[in-house]
Structures are given as C-alpha cells and as structure tokens.
Amino acid sequence: MKLNEEEQDILAGHQGPVPQTALRHQIKVGEFFGAADFVPVTQAHIMADTESLGEAGVQWLEGLAAEKTGRRRVRIPTITDPRGTDFAKAAFLRHTKAMLTLEERAITAFVKLGVLMTNTCINYQTVQPATRNEHVAYGDTGVVIYSNSVCGARSNFEGGPSALSAGITGRTPRYGFHLPQKRLATLHVHVDDTPETLNEWGALGGVIGRIAGNYWAVPVIEGIGERGGAPGSDALKHFGAAMASFGSIALYHLVGLTPEASRLADVAPDVKALPSHRVTRADFESLQLSYHTTDEVDVVVFSAPQLSLHELRDVAALCEGRQFKKPLIAITSPQVKPDCDRMGFTQTIEAAGGQVLSGMCFYQSYAREMADAHGWKRLATNSAKLVNILGGYGYQPMLGSMEACVEAAATGRLA
Amino acid sequence: MSGGHTKAKTFIARHAMGKAVRGEALVAKDGFSARYDLDRINGVFSRPAHKLVGQSYVNKVLILDAAKGGVATAWMLLEMQSRGVVPLAIVLNSVNPIIAQGAALGDVPLLAGFDVDITQAIAHGATVEIDPVRRALTVL
C-alpha cells in the first residue's frame, strides 16, 4: 500500500505503539484486498461484545489501554455497538459474575482509549447518521448496510479490531465500498409485493440476501414502494439487517428511493447484462414459514436490531392490559430507553410481565448460556436477523409479526 | 489455475495471508461465520442447517464457499486461537472483510478467490498444504 508521510510516521512508531499496532493491522487487511492506499474516515463504530471478545480479546484491549507512551486515544468520534449485558437486568438474564467482570474490564479499556460507550446498533436512528459520500468505519453489519444504502455513506464491514484501528488512526484501507465502481449493482431484483410488517421486511431482506449470496454482491431492487409510498426507517432497518445477516450483503439500492439510485441506470448502466431475479410474496412468506417448526414458545424476544421509540410504542400498545405466561424481552439503545421510560412504554410492557432492556442485543449477550440457564429453546421474534443467527446457539427460533409474538407471550403459542 | 508435478495439484488464490501449514481438509459447499455456525466451546459446527454440523473443525483446514454473517468473527478467531480450539487454516471461494480482519488479528492462515470452485476441487479428508506467500493450496 502507498503510505503518505503521516502514515509512514505512524508505522515507524513515532506516534507510539498503539497507532503503530493499529496501522500494522490495517495494512495487513488492506494488502490482502489489494488496497492502493488509505482513505480518511470521520466516524468509527466498534462491535465488541464480550462474548465475541472472550478473555483474549479483552486482554488485547487492555494491552492497548495500558500503553504509557505515545498517543493511545482515538482521534475521531468512535462509538460502540451493544454490550454483552444490561447491568441493571443482569440478574433477570442470569448473567454470571464472570460475564459481568469481563464486561466491566472491556468497558474500562474502551474508556481509556477514548471510545464513546453508546452501546447501540441503531446509531443511524439515535446518535448521528452518516451522510452521502461520508467515508466511515462502521462495525455491525446492520449499521453498515443501512448507512451505505439508505444514507449513501461509504463503509466496509469493519470488525471490532479494524474499527478500533480506524478510530485510532483516523483512516481505513481504501477497498470495497469506499470505491465508486464497487457500488454499482451486480444483480437486478424485481419485487412483486411490498411487505407490510417488520417481520415481512426482514423476511424479504433474507430472501434477497440468500439470492445475492456474498459480500461483493450489490442488489438493485425495483418494485418497492410502487404502491403505498416509501418504506420508513424501521422497515429498512429490518430489511437491511436481514439481508446482511443472510447474505453478508453491505449495500443495496432501491430504485427511486435510495440516494445513489434515482434511476435504475445510475447504478446499473447495462441492466440487461446483470443476473435478474423475481421475488414474490410467496418467497418471503415461505422463508418465514420455514422457521415455524412448532407452535409452543418458551420466550419472546424483540431485538436485533435494537428497537426504535416507534417500535417500542407499538409493542407497548399491544401489551396494554395483558398478563404474560412467557417471558417477553424488548431491547433498545441507551439513547431510546429514557424516552421509553418517560413516555410510559416501559411501565406498560413491564406491567404485563415483559422486560425492557437497553444497551445490549439478545444474540450478543451470551445467548447460549441464557438458553441453558432459563430452559429457553423455542423463541418467537419478529426479527428475521435473529432467527437466522439463533439456530447456531441451540434455539428453535420462529418468525412472526409483532402482534403474533406478543400474543405468544400471553398464550404460550405462536399462531 | 492448477499445476505442479504428477501427484500434487496446486490451486492459486487471489488473496492470502498468514503462515504456511499442512493438514486435513474439511470441505463443504456452505458458508462460514464463527458466530452463526460454530459451537466454539466444543469446537464443532453447530448450526443445524450447516453441511458440517456436528463435525470438529479443530486443527482442520476448512474449505468452504463464502464468508457469511456478522462481524463477530473479527474477534472470535483470536479468542479461539488463544484456547487452541481453532481451524488450522481457512480457505474460501469468496471472502469478506470480517474474516480477513479476524484472520489478521487471530493469526489464522487464510486463502480466498480461485479460478475454480475450491469446494468441488478438493476432496473431503484430503491432506493439503497452504502456502500464503505463494498464495497456493496444494493437495498432497
């Protein structure tokens, strides 16, 4: 990679061991992908729950945080994805002392590095969305696909070590979706029916993710919003998060809706040369049905991504006056939770027997250990992303509407 | 691209990093995500729909189709390496940044991008050698 004077200075260790370690890591990745040089970034977002980090990852962070020489703090606003617990609800979750201690150690290290503990995977709804053509280094696939597609920002999937490195050096290797030519469509999808519910949006995202199939694929999608107007932020949140989860996709275009695709030709100059697919309502309903393996439910979870205030308003309305037989968990960000409390949504959900948690996400919070501790296996959710992930954690996850999931908490059965 | 002498067959990757290793290949036309697919405590594939479900990946050369899923693999390979419950190397048709970032941090050899479908070219159980400097996978 071509390094400028400052980058050579960092690599030589003149700014201290922390920036040097960060740049070395970035060069390894950049050279792997054939990056010509670095591009300056304005924000970074770090996925670093302690289930992923483990003892080894926390020790790595602590090593950076303990460094006495040179500059160790991040140089651009650098924020965090959900943590591995909600300390206020750790007893309910049956998180152990060891889990909490590891979490505290990671937080201490991040704070010493100057990282802002926002603990959210919906920063584009709650902290600060990236703008068109803004180069950023975001972790969490849902954040990246939303920022690239809906905001028109430029980011690759930046895992925790790389996002932290970008925060420290203020740059990232210029490859992938930082390059204009990589943002053009590689496949064309026509959707016959626009989804109506968040679970349907997620299921449609999952179907397109499976079709597209790999990180470098960029679907351009027609047919969305032709009747009934443009989808809202929560719909596209579930759509993109599921597409990223099922297919590792980081960018899509909706013709006439997302900023880089005012017209099909903007992102697909020769659309006839692209593979073409048609997706019907039957396809995304079939994906949802494929997860409906039983009617019995042990736990209901609203998470992945964290809920917006609007979603919590809807959950609370459905919980009004109910008494749940099964646990219901709704998870949001630390930015939304105070409003959720203030508007009375938390009280309504918890009066019905539910729990409102913040700053974590279900699958990033020791999901396997929670399943063992609580005897949870059959899990109902309206998140397509969550059902895709939790099979690997020993759950039998089922996808349903928000209404059906709340009903399942009351009756123990998913219709 | 393939070549070599009469017994060994070599495949050249477009992307490579890490140290040279030799071991048994665990092959499937399926994806890879440390968070989605693995029981990392016991060292086996755990996602029910995965073609390698129940099989141990420890000290095996994983030969799979595409990197999938979320960003957790970027941390998890380091954690798996620290406990010795880690693949010997990972070989993919299609790579994403996360697996490259994880391999860089966790010191796991990684090859990706071939002119053939590498999951069809290598037999399950074959002994293979990975040489990232030459970007080469050789069937022994």
Side-chain angles (χ1 to χ4, degrees):
Chain A
M1 288 177 69
K2 183 180 175 187
L3 303 184
N4 67 22
E5 202 171 307
E6 185 184 14
E7 289 151 2
Q8 290 176 34
D9 193 54
I10 294 172
L11 191 60
H14 297 153
Q15 294 190 20
V18 173
Q20 183 184 42
T21 298
L23 198 77
R24 278 180 179 160
H25 172 79
Q26 292 182 298
I27 290 172
K28 263 192 203 176
V29 175
E31 290 187 338
F32 182 83
F33 286 111
D37 61 1
F38 281 95
V39 58
V41 291
T42 51
Q43 304 181 47
H45 173 259
I46 305 173
M47 196 294 294
D49 63 74
T50 41
E51 191 210 330
S52 305
L53 286 163
E55 176 66 30
V58 173
Q59 283 186 13
W60 185 80
L61 284 177
E62 289 175 331
L64 297 180
E67 188 54 55
K68 302 289 186 205
T69 56
R71 180 175 57 77
R72 71 165 187 232
R73 293 175 69 84
V74 294
R75 58 196 281 181
I76 56 173
T78 302
I79 63 175
T80 54
D81 207 36
R83 307 299 323 146
T85 192
D86 175 346
F87 285 99
K89 301 280 187 174
F92 162 72
L93 295 168
R94 300 187 188 170
H95 284 164
T96 64
K97 177 79 174 126
M99 293 172 189
L100 301 183
T101 301
L102 197 62
E103 192 59 46
E104 285 165 350
R105 285 171 52 198
I107 292 168
T108 300
F110 275 128
V111 170
K112 284 184 181 171
L113 292 165
V115 173
L116 305 172
M117 305 305 295
T118 54
N119 307 343
T120 182
C121 60
I122 54 169
N123 54 307
Y124 48 85
Q125 292 182 321
T126 62
V127 180
Q128 187 172 110
T131 61
R132 186 166 182 186
N133 293 335
E134 183 178 359
H135 290 273
V136 294
Y138 281 169
D140 190 295
T141 58
V143 170
V144 173
I145 194 169
Y146 190 101
S147 301
N148 273 337
S149 309
V150 181
C151 304
R154 298 183 175 211
S155 183
N156 287 309
F157 287 174
E158 298 272 11
S162 292
L164 178 60
S165 296
I168 289 166
T169 65
R171 65 206 70 216
T172 197
R174 194 194 304 267
Y175 69 93
F177 297 108
H178 293 286
L179 302 171
Q181 64 271 27
K182 294 289 187 187
R183 300 178 69 87
L184 294 175
T186 64
L187 72 155
H188 176 243
V189 179
H190 191 280
V191 176
D192 285 354
D193 289 287
T194 298
E196 294 172 3
T197 59
L198 296 180
N199 53 298
E200 288 182 354
W201 277 104
L204 176 61
V207 168
I208 295 173
R210 278 180 174 166
I211 291 170
N214 76 83
Y215 181 77
W216 311 101
V218 180
V220 59
I221 301 158
E222 289 192 290
I224 296 286
E226 287 179 357
R227 293 185 299 275
S233 177
D234 287 330
L236 294 182
K237 175 171 77 173
H238 280 267
F239 179 63
M243 199 187 304
S245 180
F246 280 83
S248 197
I249 306 303
L251 170 65
Y252 63 84
H253 303 290
L254 299 179
V255 176
L257 294 173
T258 56
E260 291 170 78
S262 297
R263 298 168 304 145
L264 178 61
D266 294 344
V267 293
D270 184 8
V271 70
K272 287 184 179 166
L274 299 181
S276 186
H277 304 267
R278 186 169 213 99
V279 175
T280 67
R281 172 164 288 274
D283 294 319
F284 56 82
E285 287 181 347
S286 170
L287 182 141
Q288 176 160 318
L289 275 175
S290 71
Y291 287 96
H292 201 134
T293 51
T294 174
D295 293 336
E296 303 293 320
V297 169
D298 299 319
V299 61
V300 173
V301 176
F302 295 112
S303 182
Q306 291 173 333
L307 274 68
S308 69
L309 190 64
H310 296 184
E311 291 174 284
L312 284 161
R313 169 186 170 273
D314 292 344
V315 172
L318 293 165
C319 292
E320 185 81 47
R322 307 302 297 265
Q323 277 303 315
F324 297 143
K325 284 183 184 170
K326 300 292 179 183
L328 178 149
I329 299 169
I331 304 178
T332 188
S333 75
Q335 297 78 39
V336 168
K337 179 67 166 42
D339 278 352
C340 185
D341 295 346
R342 198 161 55 86
M343 310 292 173
F345 303 150
T346 304
Q347 188 182 1
T348 302
I349 294 166
E350 296 195 342
Q355 295 280 343
V356 180
L357 281 60
S358 84
M360 55 172 269
C361 190
F362 190 82
Y363 74 91
Q364 291 174 298
S365 304
Y366 301 96
R368 185 184 301 281
E369 290 81 355
M370 286 196 291
D372 293 341
H374 293 267
W376 293 338
K377 185 172 178 67
R378 299 162 299 186
L379 180 146
T381 179
N382 73 338
S383 164
K385 173 175 178 169
L386 195 60
V387 297
N388 187 44
I389 296 172
L390 284 182
Y393 281 88
Y395 286 83
Q396 217 172 322
M398 292 176 280
L399 184 61
S401 68
M402 184 184 284
E403 291 81 358
C405 289
V406 172
E407 190 64 24
T411 64
R413 298 177 68 83
L414 184 69
Chain B
M1 183 172 134
S2 62
H5 54 77
T6 51
K7 287 187 179 174
K9 190 167 187 181
T10 296
F11 299 87
I12 302 298
R14 286 186 284 280
H15 309 286
M17 71 164 70
K19 59 184 182 296
V21 293
R22 177 184 292 197
E24 181 187 339
L26 197 62
V27 185
K29 180 80 172 171
D30 207 332
F32 179 79
S33 161
R35 167 133 37 210
Y36 293 13
D37 295 331
L38 306 183
D39 175 345
R40 289 171 286 115
I41 303 302
N42 296 305
V44 295
F45 280 84
S46 60
R47 187 164 59 84
H50 200 284
K51 289 176 180 161
L52 296 175
V53 65
Q55 297 199 48
S56 171
Y57 59 76
V58 180
N59 289 325
K60 303 284 176 60
V61 176
L62 285 185
I63 300 182
L64 294 165
D65 187 38
K68 295 278 188 187
V71 296
T73 303
W75 289 114
M76 285 177 172
L77 291 177
L78 173 70
E79 192 273 338
M80 290 156 63
Q81 184 74 273
S82 76
R83 292 184 292 110
V85 185
V86 68
L88 191 60
I90 299 173
V91 178
L92 297 165
N93 281 320
S94 176
V95 72
N96 71 8
I98 296 303
I99 192 116
Q101 295 158 8
L105 187 71
D107 195 23
V108 176
L110 175 66
L111 294 189
F114 298 86
D115 290 339
V116 297
D117 179 348
I118 199 68
T119 69
Q120 300 301 308
I122 309 297
H124 188 71
T127 300
V128 297
E129 187 174 80
I130 305 293
D131 182 354
V133 172
R134 292 175 49 231
R135 300 185 177 184
L137 181 159
T138 302
V139 182
L140 301 176

